[in-house]
Amino acid sequence: MAEHRNPPKLQDADNRFAPIKPLMSNTMAYYESSRCLFCYDAPCTIACPTSIDIPLFIRQINNGNLTGAAKTIYQSNFLGNTCGKVCPTEVLCEGACVFNKMNIKPIDIGRLQNFATNSAILTRQKFFVVPEENGKSVAVIGAGPAGISCACQLRASGYMVDIYEARNNPSGLALHGIAPYKITNEEALMEVEFLREQFGFNVFYNTRIDSKEDIAVLEAKYDAFFLGIGLGSSTEIKIRGEGKPNCIGATEFIEEIKTRPVSTPIAKRVIVLGGGNTAMDAASECARLGAENVIVAYRRSQPEMKAYYFEYDLAKVAGVRGMFNLAPIEIVGENSAEGVKFIRTETVNGILKEIPGSDFVIACDLVIKATGQAKQTSLFANISGLTLDEAGRISVNGATGQTANPGYFAGGDAVNGGAEVVNAVAEGKLAGDGIHEYLSALI
Amino acid sequence: MANLEINFAGIKSPNPFWLASGPPTNSGYQIMKAFDQGWGGAVWKTLGVPVINVSSRYGAINHRGSRVVGFNNIELITDRRLCDNLREMEEVKKYFPNHAVIASLMVQTKQEWHQIVNDVQNAGADGIELNFGCPHGMCERGMGSAVGQEPAILEMITRWVMEVAKIPVIVKLTPNISDITEPAQAARRAGANAISLINTIQSLVGVDIDNFVTYPVVENHSTNGGYCGPAVKPIAMNMVKNCAQHPLVQIPISGIGGIENWHDAVEFILLGASSVQVCTAAMHYGFGIIRDMTSGLEQYMDSHGFATIDQFVGKALPNVKHWEELNLKYSVKASIDEDKCIGCQLCYIACEDGAHQAIDLNEDKTIRTPRINEENCVGCNLCSLICPVENCITMVRKDDGTQHQTWKQRTDANNIPVTFDDDLAGGLGHTIPDPVKAFGKL
Ligand SMILES: Cc1cc2nc3c(=O)[nH]c(=O)nc-3n(C[C@H](O)[C@H](O)[C@H](O)COP(=O)(O)OP(=O)(O)OC[C@H]3O[C@@H](n4cnc5c(N)ncnc54)[C@H](O)[C@@H]3O)c2cc1C
Ligand SMILES: Cc1cc2nc3c(=O)[nH]c(=O)nc-3n(C[C@H](O)[C@H](O)[C@H](O)COP(=O)(O)O)c2cc1C
Ligand code: SF4
Ligand code: SF4
Ligand code: SF4
């Protein structure tokens, strides 16, 4: 897999937030689509959480039917454009492409998908005819990928759909979380607008649904509910000195740089704590914004990192340095963080141990905590009958997205604990069908 | 070391690769440049009364990332004055005395033929090629393929030429005819020294589906053209073979049609050509491809122990038989190399939908390598042709080689199916899946 990708180059990072998967030209798309074998029961499609008929849309591109290609994509995945840009294709469709078995570069599926859908969005194609309203209505909470996908599927079955969104924009983490060199805010918003024009769901922004009263108002008005509220703020590490103003959570930091002008001044020396994709993104973004020294410090060894190898690669070429087997024990400094005190660790018989007396301080001007996102427990507590699993995720029926309260369905990060946009889209669509089945049976 | 020199019906050339008459041989400048890069000979762009051409002139077929696998033109013969061409011809011969310069000619009356033959002889041409092949523009004026399609007229005109020719004469044949050996025999009867084939195939290369006109477009209209390039090679090779095998043809053949590398050239030579001509490939890639062509041919000859081209001209001909002479007892079956298989399952769907339902998928979907059902496999080759991995599906011989039986022998022994429901039908062993079981409806 990795061997066949061109490794990202330093000059790519120079151009701070230049897209890492830029739009293909017609010629590139023609040659790349020519390579696809049109596999039977294609492994790439099997690997796609939304089961896009990849060989079909690639053949449509190759035969000059760009609109048909986009339609094929949107029929399986309402956020086809966003997914083409932000999916970790290396471990999904492209990772499954049969070309890997011959040590030949797999088909550039993500970029072809982006190529076809981009053209459809720009030319405002209409792929869906919304049927007459069936008299029933559904409230979707959260306008992230899961909520949008569920709303589209419900509209396609004739339901009136209102989306309630706490923020002033749709797209959830696709807007305020995903790295800007994967997708720009304009691109993310453009696709949601493309969908809204076709499906005609309503979105109420700046409307957080939280209290018992909020729930009561909604329950009086709607026949069913979808919870697509994602995850909460960054988790605490629970070490001394954590409360200092320049020791912040990764998702909050990323949201800041994605929603404020990019000229936000950045600290010179940054330490990012964590070993997942969010840690890589935060570090990479700091380096791209001009921080001189960016360290990702992880408690365990490099191979144990949860981040995909290509995300670590991307951070490294931006100038990020990885340090391993270092556990933070204190954020040091008077009124603000001036450094992180670490202790070295080792794994003995599968158990992570701190090495006594090995502690030392690395100085810095900013600490970013990327050790996970908390669950949104307050809303859950106010919905009767909802059950959560031991990790705080909403429990649902995997085939329908239905929660323990039969009128409530859920999907996306709130259910899977934090996966990818494509999983949220798949789960939102599935729940749309689940709601349709549930409400049809009630008649 | 292989010697690539040839003596083609008296025309000597340092190697068998000639540029065919066309845009690459339009001028002395181009021909000298080609000779300088290693081409052995060139057939000058057809001379005659100069024409006026249209714009645009070409169209092409692209296939999944390969450009110009088929090429189509509506160009006519030379649009340059004869005097300029003759002067340049003399110049070429002066600088390249050992290379073959062949003048392609197309005129109408006997007097014109006599005059132009004398002119090119005086200019130093090593040979003459009579263009009886052009399938557009010229045939409507009673020339080109209009001649090539009428063996009697072809014979008459060739005789006119032979009356004054002092250098070898090659007759170039049109493929736009049902039996290519008819004009080939006529050329031989008239005393021609050699034949060359094929010229382009009458064609429409494509339709502009938005403006309802075929390509290439001239203002709002178009016309049929001549088809050439890699796509026509199989048609050309079959015609070369038909001429080479015909007992009443037996004169040297210059092979033309879709040749772009040494491998193509070797194939034509094995089917009876003793020189080859190239047009589209030179138009696509320039003259530089000659280095790959000569080096590949040398390599091939060395590895097969052929010292000269003569030693393998027509070497495949004895093995190209009529269908009824093939051994019906010979049996191959497909075999999949599991280590090479990448699991694309193209072989499965090809055999399932397009052949004999002889490839099964594994019940465990995670095992993607299909299995051959030898009972149903008829050994058609389809799967091995479609498999994207080199040598992954091979055809393995299953009969023991002791039995030999042809359709001819069976016919002679009254052992062939003769009624519609005959039990001698060849496909009786084939199990066809039950459609209801397979997809639940009928
Ligand atoms: C830093 C980072 C980088 C990432 N990079 C990638 C990537 O490259 N590729 C990829 O595929 N995925 C990536 N992801 C994951 C991806 O963004 C998420 O999996 C996806 O956005 C989940 O969609 P969702 O709809 O479930 O939740 P979210 O995107 O979180 O959307 C939830 C929405 O609900 C709203 N909301 C929350 N609570 C309430 C409430 N009580 N009332 C009303 N509205 C509410 C929120 O404002 C938000 O708009 C990344 C995530 C992070 C954190
Ligand atoms: C294996 C094979 C068998 C064919 N058998 C027949 C036949 O029985 N009857 C017929 O009219 N044409 C037959 N054809 C010719 C095709 O119908 C068709 O005219 C030809 O292949 C050109 O079309 P294509 O370029 O799409 O293949 C056959 C073609 C193939 C490849
Ligand atoms: S696995 Fe690769 S080659 Fe096969 S259909 Fe998918 S993209 Fe095309
Ligand atoms: S050789 Fe022909 S019949 Fe045999 S398995 Fe392959 S495609 Fe099927
Ligand atoms: S076509 Fe070749 S590579 Fe593909 S499944 Fe069949 S045997 Fe394997």
Side-chain angles (χ1 to χ4, degrees):
Chain A
M1 293 190 268
E3 305 82 272
H4 318 301
R5 298 211 135 249
N6 294 332
K9 295 187 214 73
L10 241 180
Q11 57 262 38
D12 299 338
D14 277 354
N15 187 359
R16 299 208 293 187
F17 292 157
I20 51 172
K21 288 187 180 177
L23 188 66
M24 280 180 163
S25 68
N26 289 344
T27 310
M28 276 176 90
Y30 172 65
Y31 281 110
E32 190 60 10
S33 60
S34 293
R35 292 205 300 133
C36 173
L37 298 171
F38 200 68
C39 295
Y40 179 76
D41 191 14
C44 51
T45 294
I46 296 172
C48 171
T50 55
S51 306
I52 296 175
D53 192 338
I54 294 165
L56 177 62
F57 93 69
I58 294 181
R59 198 175 166 86
Q60 288 169 313
I61 292 177
N62 194 250
N63 289 331
N65 180 5
L66 217 51
T67 306
K71 191 169 178 182
T72 300
I73 294 163
Y74 279 112
Q75 273 163 349
S76 296
N77 182 327
F78 293 119
L79 292 177
N81 186 257
T82 300
C83 285
K85 292 184 173 106
V86 310
C87 270
T89 51
E90 291 87 341
V91 294
L92 297 172
C93 53
E94 290 171 27
C97 174
V98 294
F99 276 104
N100 292 296
K101 297 238 168 73
M102 290 189 278
N103 275 333
I104 295 174
K105 192 179 172 297
I107 305 296
D108 216 338
I109 300 169
R111 287 181 72 193
L112 286 169
Q113 183 171 318
N114 186 11
F115 178 74
T117 48
N118 192 66
S119 147
I121 292 174
L122 291 181
T123 57
R124 304 178 100 103
Q125 298 294 326
K126 293 252 183 295
F127 295 134
F128 300 94
V129 185
V130 177
E132 242 178 70
E133 291 195 357
N134 61 18
K136 297 222 163 88
S137 59
V138 181
V140 169
I141 303 170
I148 296 285
S149 177
C150 182
C152 293
Q153 187 70 353
L154 287 167
R155 289 292 296 149
S157 309
Y159 294 89
M160 200 277 276
V161 179
D162 288 338
I163 308 182
Y164 293 91
E165 166 57 52
R167 289 187 165 77
N168 62 355
N169 267 319
S171 276
L173 283 172
L175 195 79
H176 57 81
I178 297 180
Y181 37 85
K182 289 185 184 162
I183 190 167
T184 64
N185 290 353
E186 295 70 38
E187 289 168 331
L189 293 174
M190 206 160 67
E191 185 164 45
V192 175
E193 184 52 23
F194 168 75
L195 295 168
R196 203 198 49 78
E197 276 179 9
Q198 300 189 50
F199 288 104
F201 44 75
N202 311 303
V203 194
F204 300 100
Y205 293 110
N206 305 308
T207 312
R208 173 174 292 277
I209 303 300
D210 219 13
S211 63
K212 278 216 157 57
E213 296 71 56
D214 294 342
I215 307 277
V217 170
L218 293 189
E219 285 186 350
K221 193 166 171 207
Y222 300 96
D223 301 294
F225 304 87
F226 175 77
L227 303 171
I229 57 173
L231 298 170
S233 47
S234 299
T235 46
E236 304 278 288
I237 315 182
K238 301 200 168 71
I239 53 173
R240 254 197 305 158
E242 203 177 347
K244 298 194 169 70
N246 57 340
C247 173
I248 57 177
T251 41
E252 290 73 18
F253 168 75
I254 294 171
E255 179 164 3
E256 174 77 18
I257 62 166
K258 280 213 74 182
T259 47
R260 311 277 179 275
V262 198
S263 59
T264 313
I266 183 84
K268 277 197 174 140
R269 296 166 304 171
V270 182
I271 294 178
V272 180
L273 302 173
N277 290 317
T278 300
M280 297 308 142
D281 276 2
S284 190
E285 286 157 26
C286 286
R288 281 164 207 263
L289 282 170
E292 283 163 21
N293 193 341
V294 183
I295 291 171
V296 169
Y298 180 49
R299 292 157 63 224
R300 297 172 182 270
S301 66
Q302 178 180 339
E304 291 170 279
M305 280 200 303
K306 291 219 183 64
Y308 297 127
Y309 60 86
F310 46 86
E311 299 288 4
Y312 182 43
D313 280 352
L314 213 55
K316 278 195 295 187
V317 292
V320 171
R321 200 148 53 97
M323 293 180 80
F324 302 95
N325 284 107
L326 291 183
I329 48 176
E330 184 185 348
I331 309 296
V332 297
E334 286 291 314
N335 298 317
S336 64
E338 290 163 20
V340 178
K341 186 185 268 182
F342 289 104
I343 188 159
R344 292 188 192 282
T345 66
E346 61 182 347
T347 304
V348 184
N349 299 329
I351 296 163
L352 189 74
K353 290 210 164 106
E354 295 179 353
I355 304 173
S358 67
D359 54 302
F360 65 104
V361 172
I362 303 179
C364 68
D365 317 304
L366 176 68
V367 180
I368 298 177
K369 296 176 288 179
T371 50
Q373 279 174 269
K375 310 295 181 301
Q376 294 242 48
T377 41
S378 68
L379 170 62
F380 301 162
N382 291 332
I383 299 170
S384 68
L386 211 63
T387 58
L388 308 181
D389 69 6
E390 69 288 350
R393 300 173 295 199
I394 309 173
S395 308
V396 298
N397 173 339
T400 60
Q402 192 168 31
T403 68
N405 177 334
Y408 281 81
F409 293 72
D413 281 3
V415 168
N416 60 38
E420 316 294 342
V421 169
V422 67
N423 304 96
V425 171
E427 293 167 21
K429 188 172 180 184
L430 187 94
D433 285 338
I435 293 171
H436 180 45
E437 206 179 299
Y438 164 73
L439 291 180
S440 309
L442 284 187
I443 303 170
Chain B
M1 260 286 281
N3 176 358
L4 301 191
E5 282 170 36
I6 57 162
N7 181 338
F8 179 87
I11 303 172
K12 292 204 179 97
S13 168
N15 64 50
F17 298 107
W18 295 352
L19 288 169
S21 181
T25 60
N26 218 13
S27 66
Y29 158 72
Q30 288 163 290
I31 291 175
M32 284 197 262
K33 192 175 168 199
F35 286 172
D36 195 49
Q37 294 198 18
W39 288 85
V43 184
W44 211 280
K45 172 76 188 169
T46 301
L47 306 175
V49 178
V51 299
I52 299 163
N53 274 310
V54 293
S55 142
S56 60
R57 305 176 192 178
Y58 305 147
I61 298 281
N62 301 331
H63 189 73
R64 307 223 181 287
S66 291
R67 299 199 78 87
V68 195
V69 294
F71 189 62
N72 164 284
N73 82 89
I74 57 169
E75 220 166 71
L76 307 177
I77 65 171
T78 189
D79 57 2
R80 304 176 66 226
R81 294 184 308 175
L82 184 62
C83 59
D84 296 329
N85 280 301
L86 292 173
R87 193 186 63 249
E88 291 171 16
M89 197 177 286
E90 256 179 74
E91 230 167 61
V92 173
K93 280 313 295 183
K94 194 166 103 203
Y95 289 109
F96 294 92
N98 301 321
H99 287 65
V101 173
I102 294 118
S104 170
L105 307 177
M106 186 198 288
V107 288
Q108 262 176 315
T109 66
K110 182 172 179 175
Q111 194 207 340
E112 280 172 350
W113 277 108
H114 281 179
Q115 190 198 328
I116 201 165
V117 168
N118 281 323
D119 283 347
V120 299
Q121 287 182 152
N122 291 336
D126 300 294
I128 291 168
E129 188 178 82
L130 311 184
N131 181 349
F132 296 152
C134 183
H136 51 266
M138 304 310 290
C139 46
E140 292 90 331
R141 307 174 198 183
M143 294 183 278
S145 63
V147 177
Q149 287 166 340
E150 289 298 335
I153 299 175
L154 178 149
E155 189 173 340
M156 179 182 77
I157 296 179
T158 307
R159 282 185 199 282
W160 297 344
V161 170
M162 298 317 292
E163 286 165 12
V164 291
K166 299 192 200 79
I167 52 179
V169 173
I170 307 166
V171 173
K172 185 168 183 178
L173 303 180
T174 175
N176 300 301
I177 185 164
S178 42
D179 181 359
I180 192 73
T181 65
E182 295 272 334
Q185 291 173 64
R188 165 79 195 260
R189 280 197 302 274
N193 304 90
I195 50 175
S196 58
L197 65 156
I198 58 174
N199 206 312
T200 56
I201 304 171
Q202 209 171 51
S203 63
L204 285 177
V205 76
V207 182
D208 178 335
I209 59 172
D210 299 314
N211 298 301
F212 317 118
V213 58
T214 60
Y215 294 113
V217 178
V218 180
E219 205 174 28
N220 300 319
H221 301 99
S222 185
T223 186
N224 58 279
Y227 196 46
C228 53
V232 309
K233 187 182 118 188
I235 298 167
M237 290 203 299
N238 183 50
M239 292 190 165
V240 165
K241 171 234 96 186
N242 286 346
C243 291
Q245 281 184 336
H246 200 285
L248 298 179
V249 176
Q250 303 311 313
I251 45 177
I253 299 173
S254 186
I256 318 168
I259 296 169
E260 33 171 52
N261 57 42
W262 66 271
H263 194 280
D264 298 333
V266 168
E267 290 178 76
F268 272 84
I269 294 171
L270 291 171
L271 291 170
S274 42
S275 86
V276 292
Q277 299 186 26
V278 176
C279 181
T280 306
M283 294 179 73
H284 191 157
Y285 304 105
F287 298 135
I289 55 170
I290 188 63
R291 286 165 297 175
D292 167 54
M293 296 175 118
T294 46
S295 109
L297 181 58
E298 252 167 36
Q299 199 58 42
Y300 170 80
M301 289 170 66
D302 287 345
S303 65
H304 285 75
F306 299 133
T308 61
I309 305 278
D310 287 348
Q311 291 179 355
F312 64 105
V313 171
K315 216 171 160 56
L317 287 173
N319 298 328
V320 189
K321 300 263 201 204
H322 289 295
W323 193 91
E324 66 260 27
E325 294 167 86
L326 302 177
N327 184 7
L328 296 169
K329 293 289 181 192
Y330 175 74
S331 164
V332 291
K333 307 263 179 210
S335 162
I336 297 176
D337 182 338
E338 288 179 18
D339 294 333
K340 293 202 173 107
C341 173
I342 58 170
C344 67
Q345 301 188 344
L346 285 171
C347 58
Y348 161 75
I349 201 63
C351 187
E352 186 68 16
D353 289 1
H356 296 89
Q357 302 78 43
I359 304 186
D360 300 327
L361 295 180
N362 207 303
E363 262 114 61
D364 176 356
K365 283 195 132 207
T366 61
I367 302 173
R368 289 196 53 99
T369 302
R371 279 189 311 252
I372 306 292
N373 166 356
E374 288 200 2
E375 312 271 85
N376 261 10
C377 174
V378 301
C380 70
N381 282 355
L382 179 64
C383 54
S384 70
L385 296 172
I386 273 154
C387 176
V389 186
E390 290 284 300
N391 301 321
C392 173
I393 302 187
T394 46
M395 303 305 296
V396 180
R397 183 162 190 178
K398 293 291 172 173
D399 68 307
D400 60 10
T402 56
Q403 283 176 294
H404 187 92
Q405 187 189 54
T406 65
W407 178 257
K408 193 167 182 311
Q409 286 164 341
R410 285 188 66 154
T411 310
D412 294 345
N414 283 326
N415 184 25
I416 56 168
V418 286
T419 61
F420 288 141
D421 300 325
D422 211 309
D423 284 341
L424 286 174
L428 279 185
H430 179 198
T431 318
I432 293 181
D434 174 8
V436 180
K437 257 193 217 147
F439 53 90
K441 53 180 155 182
L442 198 60

